[in-house]
Amino acid sequence: MNDKLINLMADLQEEETMKMVEELIASGTDPVTILDDARRAMEVVGKRFEQCEYFIPDLMMAGEILQGITKMVKPRIKQAQGAGKKGRVLVGTVAGDIHDIGKDIVTFMLDVSGYEVLDIGIDVPVETFVEKTREFKPQVLALSGFLTLAFDSMKKTIEALVAANLRDGLKIMIGGGQMDDEVRKYVRADAYGKDAVAAVNLCREWIGG
Amino acid sequence: MSKTTEELYREREKRVLDAIALTKPDRVPVVALFSFFPAKYSNMTVREVMYDPEKQWKAYWRTLTEFEPDMDQNPFALRFIGPLLDTLDFRQLKWPGHGISDNFTYQFVEDEYMMADEYEAFLFDPTDFMIRKYWPRVFGALGGLGKISPPRHIVTYAMGMPFGFAPYNTPEVAASLDALKAAGEKSMEIAKYAASYTAKAKEAGFPMQYGGFTQAPFDTLGDYFRGTKGLMLDMYRRPKLVIRACEKLLPLMIDMAVGASRASGNPRIFIPIHKGLDGFMSMEQFHTFFWPTLRDLFVALINEGIVPCPLWEGNCTSRLPTIGDIPPGRALYGFEATDIFKAKEILGDKVCIKGNVPLSMMATGTPEDVVAYCKKLIDVVGRDGGYIMDAASSLDNAKTENVRAMIDFTKEYGVY
């Protein structure tokens, strides 16, 4: 564990972080440990976000740094990673709504938190949610929406899952601009999450990890 | 004896002006951002009202005269845009028939319409950058403008003129000029309908809420040029350029508002706030990047006799102590998810407050829920004036009975 690297990245010092990663690679450090440290740094970032020290731009910047490190390090890792994921989460923005910024942050945070995430994009038709739920067999479904028009799309999506006998055992969370607990009741989801860290915490509560 | 429409017009205008001036009107004014609600209310699709001005007129006129808010919003500029969007092959929106189904509202397409390495070009000559780089990206039909020479190069017979016009003789530029002419026709039609709607509403006794639109410099830069993600990352990677771009945009944003207000004869200018919200940046970033040029915008408009009417979207509770730092009684702050009761405590003697019946309640709740919430708003936020009733934001998907409850209850219970 390299505390200096973790701190640089958690403090969002992009240039210094990338320089250090380059040096570590050049000096023969195992690339897997570099990625592990990057993940630890992301945990710090997540905590700071939860404690309102960090905000959305900080998450985005951390995401950029992580992407930069992954790009440098991944080609040097021989065996495929990705084993031992904590659970499956299906994510998408509901029919009629084309907003993706919030959804993308949720996908990213769930991914770095160790979940196997399938993000099926924006303006996702009800039938596609049903089909993907059947195929991917997620433990958690995360429905995103920014506008009030998403209320009914969420409601219809969940009704369709009930009709397809896929609702039992599936936990459903909603989030996005106009969502709140009133909407959660209206669409009959299990929880409303106010941000990406809330989404991660809900997954931890529901499927562990 | 019932009042004449002229008397009603003056009474409604005064009601709102009194609230803005932080004095007590005869009752709490009530307004609404109907957005595409009138389409649904009149059994029309969003697509129909976006493309058919007569249908649009019918739907919005019916809504205005059947709900009778104290002020209206002229629908034409923001709703009758279908034909113009088509003509220009507009890329920043998806709308019914263009990636959105007929009954859903149009939505913005997030992208980087100015690249990270183009700040200097923008700062050097923003208008030239817009015409030759930005317009071809956001208007598919104006791609040819990328070929013209910079307008600043053509000064006189000895400077630029002899060769400067050559690009206009190419098919690409000619096609763009044709598209501009066609867009001119569509714009004229929007302007014609907008002007007659405002005049007709005035005759019927209804003032307009707003006479124009502008935005915070940071929002303009983030929404339309760099994209949300692009600008968020720029705050770390090129902070000085972000500040310089906001400062460059400031006089343009002032000019836009002053021009619109003069043309419409309406002092109220609408300013939606998008990226300065809690969670969207730290307090330090708010003070560094967002607030300085926004405050300058507010103060400049106030000095011109204009009333800045920002709609603080999302939750801005943590910004309340900062944003009260403007001349008192000269602006109107609409709030969406901000703690409006706290806003009253902090801003009560500084700025008139508007809002914020939650959209989730308007769309999924009952009239009883709405009345209970409005009662609390009137009792607490409305105490001693300085308050205007409104929903949190656009009413697109609100239930008819809930809109009616908000407006009727305020008229009845909101009397001072």
Side-chain angles (χ1 to χ4, degrees):
Chain A
M1 201 161 82
N2 185 330
D3 284 334
K4 200 176 161 209
L5 178 64
I6 295 171
N7 289 336
L8 275 179
M9 182 174 160
D11 291 343
L12 309 176
Q13 300 300 313
E14 185 179 26
E15 275 177 39
E16 288 88 333
T17 307
M18 299 319 290
K19 216 175 112 199
M20 186 162 182
V21 170
E22 261 173 50
E23 285 165 10
L24 287 171
I25 291 172
S27 68
T29 310
D30 180 359
V32 175
T33 68
I34 298 176
L35 266 192
D36 284 343
D37 285 341
R39 277 195 206 101
R40 287 191 188 98
M42 277 308 303
E43 278 173 31
V44 179
V45 168
K47 281 208 183 81
R48 289 182 187 170
F49 182 83
E50 214 167 2
Q51 287 156 3
C52 293
E53 285 169 47
Y54 273 4
F55 301 91
I56 293 171
D58 304 299
L59 292 187
M60 287 200 170
M61 195 61 223
E64 286 288 300
I65 299 175
L66 181 64
Q67 209 179 12
I69 295 177
T70 309
K71 224 191 220 163
M72 255 199 254
V73 166
K74 268 271 165 79
R76 295 179 167 78
I77 297 177
K78 289 190 188 77
Q79 76 274 39
Q81 299 285 301
K85 290 274 183 185
K86 294 167 179 169
R88 287 180 305 281
V89 188
L90 181 64
V91 182
T93 302
V94 296
D97 199 320
I98 65 166
H99 292 84
D100 60 7
I101 293 179
K103 172 189 68 63
D104 289 351
I105 299 173
V106 167
T107 295
F108 163 67
M109 289 301 285
L110 288 170
D111 181 53
V112 298
S113 302
Y115 296 95
E116 188 182 349
V117 189
L118 178 62
D119 181 341
I120 52 175
I122 54 173
D123 188 13
V124 177
V126 169
E127 313 81 67
T128 308
F129 271 114
V130 171
E131 193 186 308
K132 292 290 170 187
T133 301
R134 191 171 281 132
E135 282 170 24
F136 183 60
K137 299 184 176 54
Q139 285 102 325
V140 176
L141 171 63
L143 299 178
S144 174
F146 182 70
L147 303 169
T148 53
L149 61 83
F151 299 171
D152 280 325
S153 295
M154 286 182 175
K155 192 162 181 264
K156 284 178 195 155
T157 303
I158 295 175
E159 282 166 359
L161 289 165
V162 172
N165 288 320
L166 292 165
R167 181 69 176 90
D168 289 345
L170 177 68
K171 290 287 190 184
I172 302 179
M173 60 167 107
I174 64 165
Q178 296 297 339
M179 304 308 143
D180 61 17
D181 209 52
E182 289 305 308
V183 181
R184 197 267 309 158
K185 284 181 215 157
Y186 176 73
V187 307
R188 295 172 181 273
D190 297 301
Y192 153 72
K194 72 173 176 56
D195 55 42
V197 169
V200 172
N201 288 338
L202 282 167
C203 285
R204 285 203 177 115
E205 192 185 305
W206 287 337
I207 53 181
Chain B
M1 206 180 76
S2 66
K3 290 170 186 162
T4 65
T5 53
E6 212 182 319
E7 283 167 334
L8 281 170
Y9 183 92
R10 279 202 303 269
E11 189 179 289
R12 288 175 175 135
E13 178 88 14
K14 184 175 186 310
R15 189 171 289 138
V16 169
L17 292 181
D18 284 350
I20 291 170
L22 302 175
T23 56
K24 227 192 243 185
D26 59 341
R27 71 158 162 79
V28 172
V30 53
V31 297
L33 206 180
F34 286 119
S35 189
F36 282 106
F37 170 84
K40 193 178 66 168
Y41 182 62
S42 295
N43 290 316
M44 294 176 194
T45 62
V46 169
R47 185 176 186 160
E48 280 175 293
V49 299
M50 275 185 76
Y51 280 90
D52 184 333
E54 294 299 329
K55 279 190 174 167
Q56 172 158 149
W57 187 299
K58 231 167 119 184
Y60 284 78
W61 190 258
R62 184 180 159 199
T63 307
L64 170 66
T65 51
E66 291 182 10
F67 288 89
E68 297 192 313
D70 284 308
M71 287 191 174
D72 195 16
Q73 291 190 4
N74 193 313
F76 285 92
L78 283 176
R79 315 279 165 225
F80 172 46
I81 52 176
L84 182 60
L85 299 179
D86 285 351
T87 302
L88 288 167
D89 184 14
F90 191 56
R91 304 285 168 84
Q92 285 186 324
L93 288 180
K94 285 192 177 182
W95 66 97
H98 295 259
I100 298 272
S101 66
D102 288 0
N103 246 328
F104 285 150
T105 52
Y106 58 72
Q107 293 167 49
F108 193 76
V109 180
E110 275 280 344
D111 207 346
E112 294 186 41
Y113 298 97
M114 173 176 115
M115 304 306 140
D117 60 5
E118 290 178 326
Y119 270 94
E120 292 294 354
F122 172 81
L123 288 163
F124 178 63
D125 186 344
T127 301
D128 172 57
F129 177 81
M130 287 185 67
I131 294 173
R132 294 190 307 117
K133 298 280 186 197
Y134 175 84
W135 280 14
R137 289 174 193 160
V138 304
F139 305 116
L142 301 184
L145 295 183
K147 303 244 179 223
I148 65 170
S149 21
R152 63 175 181 274
H153 285 179
I154 304 175
V155 180
T156 182
Y157 73 97
M159 292 169 87
M161 207 175 96
F163 309 123
F165 292 104
Y168 291 87
N169 191 35
T170 61
E172 296 99 311
V173 178
S176 293
L177 295 178
D178 287 344
L180 278 171
K181 186 169 177 292
E185 283 165 26
K186 309 294 179 200
S187 276
M188 281 297 285
E189 211 187 351
I190 298 172
K192 191 187 77 187
Y193 274 101
S196 49
Y197 187 91
T198 294
K200 184 91 186 295
K202 187 172 184 178
E203 272 171 39
F206 296 97
M208 289 297 148
Q209 278 187 61
Y210 307 119
F213 185 101
T214 191
Q215 285 197 233
F218 187 93
D219 281 339
T220 302
L221 184 62
D223 288 354
Y224 310 113
F225 290 87
R226 291 289 297 126
T228 302
K229 187 177 180 186
L231 188 53
M232 281 183 174
L233 298 176
D234 288 346
M235 291 195 291
Y236 302 89
R237 288 174 172 164
R238 43 193 78 82
K240 286 187 183 128
L241 286 173
V242 172
I243 293 171
R244 282 176 63 204
C246 288
E247 286 168 351
K248 193 82 183 180
L249 281 163
L250 172 63
L252 311 185
M253 296 298 99
I254 296 171
D255 183 59
M256 189 174 286
V258 172
S261 179
R262 299 279 182 271
S264 63
N266 185 326
R268 291 171 295 273
I269 295 294
F270 182 55
I271 307 171
I273 305 290
H274 292 150
K275 295 183 163 51
L277 329 177
D278 291 2
F280 278 47
M281 57 174 69
S282 70
M283 197 54 115
E284 194 191 331
Q285 287 166 334
F286 184 74
H287 281 281
T288 306
F289 298 103
F290 199 85
W291 177 241
T293 44
L294 178 59
R295 184 182 181 278
D296 287 350
L297 173 66
F298 288 167
V299 172
L301 296 186
I302 288 169
N303 288 338
E304 292 281 342
I306 290 169
V307 182
C309 301
L311 173 58
W312 295 90
E313 296 187 14
N315 189 338
C316 298
T317 308
S318 78
R319 318 301 194 207
L320 291 171
T322 305
I323 64 179
D325 179 26
I326 57 165
R330 305 287 297 275
L332 171 57
Y333 281 5
F335 288 110
E336 188 178 6
T338 294
D339 181 339
I340 199 163
F341 304 101
K342 205 163 188 186
K344 178 71 173 181
E345 271 172 44
I346 297 176
L347 301 174
D349 57 350
K350 297 184 180 83
V351 59
C352 179
I353 294 167
K354 180 173 75 74
N356 69 344
V357 188
L359 296 185
S360 58
M361 184 184 283
M362 294 300 284
T364 71
T366 64
E368 291 73 38
D369 297 333
V370 173
V371 163
Y373 192 86
C374 290
K375 183 174 183 300
K376 196 175 168 201
L377 283 174
I378 293 169
D379 288 343
V380 181
V381 191
R383 196 173 50 226
D384 302 325
Y387 172 66
I388 297 173
M389 177 67 71
D390 194 353
S393 183
S394 306
L395 289 173
D396 299 284
N397 296 285
K399 286 184 191 162
T400 299
E401 61 269 30
N402 290 346
V403 179
R404 191 153 275 139
M406 178 182 85
I407 294 176
D408 291 352
F409 177 75
T410 304
K411 287 182 185 172
E412 175 200 315
Y413 183 76
V415 177
Y416 284 108

